[in-house]
Amino acid sequence: LRAARMVREKTPTPFRLLIVGEGPQRGELEKLAGELGLGNAVIFAGFQKEPLPFIAAMDVFTLASAREGLPRVILEAMLLRKPVLASDVVGSRELVRRGVSGLLFPHGDAAALAENLLHLMEDPGLRAEMGRRGGEIVRREYTIERYVQGVEAVLSEGVSSRG
């Protein structure tokens, strides 16, 4: 939300911030959006059983988490050909290829996130290219066959290390 406020201050280009998901901080976030003057620019969609249509509606997908395992939602966004902005944390940094399928920013650094958002807002060609490349990466590297090969490799290592 703070990054969105910074973006609003730096560009006359209108935008909407779509927040999908539910959590204990929602009330605080809604209050903050109002305090920052973003009330009409922020849509709190809440928990969605079928989130893919919401991701498909986005121009840029952002995941600003403090920590992640392997965020499947990033793969889903990439599969939908969306450029990804994500916190540079374990999980996200393994999926987002900086400058190829998206951009990473230090977690909690609203100014860096705002800078990346502005960069992508101002360059629709770059957004499209990152989205295209992200989709290719997912289709090539995150297939069920690759997953099974990875599991088999881990299991084989475990068996051979036991003798």
Side-chain angles (χ1 to χ4, degrees), residues 41-160:
V42 181
I43 300 164
F44 288 91
F47 172 79
Q48 297 298 320
K49 193 173 183 178
E50 298 291 332
L52 294 181
F54 289 83
I55 296 170
M58 299 174 183
D59 292 321
V60 176
F61 175 82
T62 303
L63 185 64
S65 299
R67 61 185 178 275
E68 285 293 334
L70 185 75
R72 187 182 75 197
V73 68
I74 287 179
L75 294 175
E76 292 167 344
M78 290 168 61
L79 194 58
L80 291 169
R81 302 172 67 101
K82 303 299 173 181
V84 175
L85 294 181
S87 300
D88 190 3
V89 297
V90 172
S92 296
R93 86 170 58 104
E94 282 70 36
L95 298 179
V96 178
R97 300 213 179 132
R98 191 183 309 260
V100 176
S101 61
L103 301 169
L104 297 168
F105 60 92
H107 173 260
D109 189 339
L113 174 54
E115 182 180 317
N116 286 332
L117 282 167
L118 282 166
H119 183 61
L120 290 176
M121 283 177 69
E122 294 168 354
D123 194 339
L126 180 61
R127 287 194 314 266
E129 184 63 16
M130 285 182 170
R132 183 187 65 73
R133 289 180 180 168
E136 288 175 355
I137 289 167
V138 173
R139 285 178 185 83
R140 181 179 62 244
E141 297 178 20
Y142 295 92
T143 64
I144 191 66
E145 292 82 10
R146 294 274 309 248
Y147 173 77
V148 170
Q149 289 171 356
V151 170
E152 287 174 341
V154 168
L155 293 174
S156 291
E157 286 176 23
V159 169
S160 64

Side-chain angles (χ1 to χ4, degrees), residues 6-59:
M6 292 175 193
V7 168
R8 178 177 265 177
E9 292 171 352
K10 293 182 179 182
T11 183
T13 305
F15 67 91
R16 298 242 182 211
L17 181 63
L18 174 60
I19 299 177
V20 179
E22 195 69 42
Q25 294 179 316
R26 180 172 175 164
E28 294 172 44
L29 294 174
E30 289 174 335
K31 181 180 176 191
L32 181 59
E35 291 170 358
L36 294 173
L38 297 171
N40 63 348
V42 181
I43 300 164
F44 288 91
F47 172 79
Q48 297 298 320
K49 193 173 183 178
E50 298 291 332
L52 294 181
F54 289 83
I55 296 170
M58 299 174 183
D59 292 321

